[in-house]
Amino acid sequence: MRTRPLKVALLGCGVVGSEVARIMTTHADDLAARIGAPVELAGVAVRRPDKVREGIDPSLVTTDATALVKRGDIDVVVEVIGGIEPARTLITTAFEHGASVVSANKALLAQDGAALHAAADENGKDLYYEAAVAGAIPLIRPLRESLAGDKVNRVLGIVNGTTNFILDKMDSTGAGYQEALDEATALGYAEADPTADVEGFDAAAKAAILAGIAFHTRVRLDDVYREGMTEVTAADFASAKEMGCTIKLLAICERAVDGASVTARVHPAMIPLSHPLASVRGAYNAVFVESDAAGQLMFYGPGAGGSPTASAVLGDLVAVCRNRLSGATGPGESAYAALPVSPMGDVVTRYHISLDVADKPGVLAQVATVFAEHGVSIDTVRQQGKDGEASLVVVTHRASDAALGGTVEALRKLDTVRGVASIMRVEGE
């Protein structure tokens, strides 16, 4: 074993960063044995230097992150500060000054992953980011390495623990959205401002990363269709149960049937109770991968939190340090396929549409005619009426989003349709 330690700079020492530092200290001997050399925490960049950080030598703490990554003796920079800047500049500066990088920054990787990979390649350094998607769940490395010889066709998953907790609570207790959100906040699953989670921004960033790796194509955050879950109601769950389904906020990355394009999207969807993702409870994450040779694979586990995320960071740290010792680098960006990303209008799926209609003869025929005129085939229809008002629930066969949009627009113009109560996609068949 080499006696000279590999030096690590830690950018950020919050929930995740402090756990990374703790594990590096308490598991130092095991890490050294696995890597082939000891690892040494050489500096910790923070915003509030006066805060007490248990187990961290105060002499290592600095507010000058730029100077830390420019030192030249740093072997690996671990970035867990999040956001776009200064993280982007610090990472590229680290490459330029001889360090490889381990990051958990999903937002930055989804927006500028190609540029960061290019900077890593230009300087002959590693960029690893297992912790950016699904916390402790090994997902990026299996997609990037274990399935490198296979053809991945679909990645379907629950990649945000906050939203899954809320939807699971609504499903299991009948609670409304706000009540379930309040409980998630009280338990620490939701931030004071939960927008990034409940509006799908967090999941969309992860979907961009997953789609890029799975399909060997550059997929940016702007390419991902995003729809939040704040409009999901108890009535939607009641309808889902009548269909033998539940509702999840899903990240879905798909290769077109002809293989000529890909799509990436995040939105609430009904999935059959028989699907493995339907049983994912609480704040857990799970991702379902479908490929030609391996078939169907499912990855499950805690998707957030200090310890789970730190576990993924340390796994990357070990891999990068091993590469450092051998003088090699691991897999970089694979974007050779360069497939176009199709718009949401081209996506084909099933739909569950709930309409408020007049309770009188001929309404069903009018509605069915509108669906037929727009080329959307109906699978099932359920109608309930009382005192001149009725609800009409239509479940379609597979149709494009654009065709469904035209259908709904035409339905709104019918005198007998009082309103469209809800529209939800049906996935996971």
Side-chain angles (χ1 to χ4, degrees), residues 22-353:
R22 184 191 69 80
I23 295 173
M24 285 184 63
T25 301
T26 58
H27 295 183
D29 291 343
D30 285 339
L31 290 173
R34 294 166 190 170
I35 291 169
V39 287
E40 172 188 313
L41 188 59
V44 182
V46 300
R47 287 183 296 177
R48 298 191 298 274
D50 297 331
K51 180 179 177 181
V52 176
R53 294 174 172 85
E54 187 177 349
I56 296 178
D57 183 347
S59 67
L60 298 178
V61 176
T62 178
T63 58
D64 194 343
T66 301
L68 179 59
V69 300
K70 282 184 173 181
R71 274 177 38 173
D73 65 335
I74 300 296
D75 294 288
V76 185
V77 169
V78 175
E79 182 272 308
V80 288
I81 57 177
I84 305 302
E85 288 292 357
R88 173 171 49 199
T89 298
L90 290 170
I91 289 173
T92 55
T93 301
F95 291 142
E96 292 165 358
H97 287 78
S100 291
V101 173
V102 172
S103 176
N105 196 331
K106 54 186 171 288
L108 177 58
L109 289 159
Q111 178 173 306
D112 289 320
L116 294 178
H117 274 294
D121 290 344
E122 182 179 348
N123 291 280
K125 298 296 178 285
D126 275 325
L127 173 62
Y128 276 50
Y129 44 91
E130 184 69 62
V133 179
I137 304 173
L139 183 58
I140 289 177
R141 190 170 288 113
L143 283 174
R144 193 158 69 166
E145 299 178 28
S146 302
L147 296 174
D150 205 344
K151 178 184 177 184
V152 176
N153 297 309
R154 195 178 199 217
V155 180
L156 171 76
I158 299 163
V159 295
N160 183 278
T162 300
T163 56
N164 199 59
F165 178 89
I166 293 170
L167 293 173
D168 181 42
K169 187 61 62 173
M170 293 175 70
D171 185 29
S172 60
T173 69
Y177 167 76
Q178 190 60 50
E179 182 183 352
L181 173 59
D182 290 344
E183 182 172 351
T185 304
L187 293 171
Y189 291 126
E191 301 287 345
D193 180 1
T195 302
D197 294 324
V198 300
E199 293 295 351
F201 291 101
D202 176 84
K206 295 169 181 176
I209 295 169
L210 291 175
I213 297 171
F215 307 134
H216 305 279
T217 291
R218 287 179 178 169
V219 179
R220 289 171 50 88
L221 182 58
D222 292 346
D223 296 321
V224 181
Y225 172 83
R226 178 195 55 80
E227 185 180 315
M229 48 161 277
T230 57
E231 301 301 319
V232 176
T233 66
D236 291 326
F237 274 101
S239 294
K241 287 181 179 180
E242 290 179 358
M243 290 180 59
C245 292
T246 188
I247 299 172
K248 300 291 187 182
L249 184 76
L250 298 178
I252 306 170
C253 311
E254 292 180 308
R255 188 190 300 269
V257 175
D258 63 4
S261 64
V262 299
T263 58
R265 50 196 166 103
V266 168
H267 54 71
M270 294 181 179
I271 57 172
L273 294 176
S274 59
H275 194 281
L277 291 179
S279 62
V280 179
R281 312 301 297 269
Y284 275 70
N285 284 191
V287 178
F288 205 68
V289 177
E290 301 175 9
S291 68
D292 276 0
Q296 298 179 332
L297 307 170
M298 183 168 166
F299 301 84
Y300 170 85
S307 294
T309 305
S311 171
V313 170
L314 266 295
D316 278 350
L317 179 63
V318 169
V320 170
C321 286
R322 286 171 175 170
N323 291 343
R324 192 85 173 182
L325 289 178
S326 67
T329 55
E333 183 188 32
S334 175
Y336 73 90
L339 297 171
V341 182
S342 296
M344 187 62 188
D346 293 346
V347 170
V348 175
T349 189
R350 296 178 69 205
Y351 290 87
H352 176 283
I353 305 103

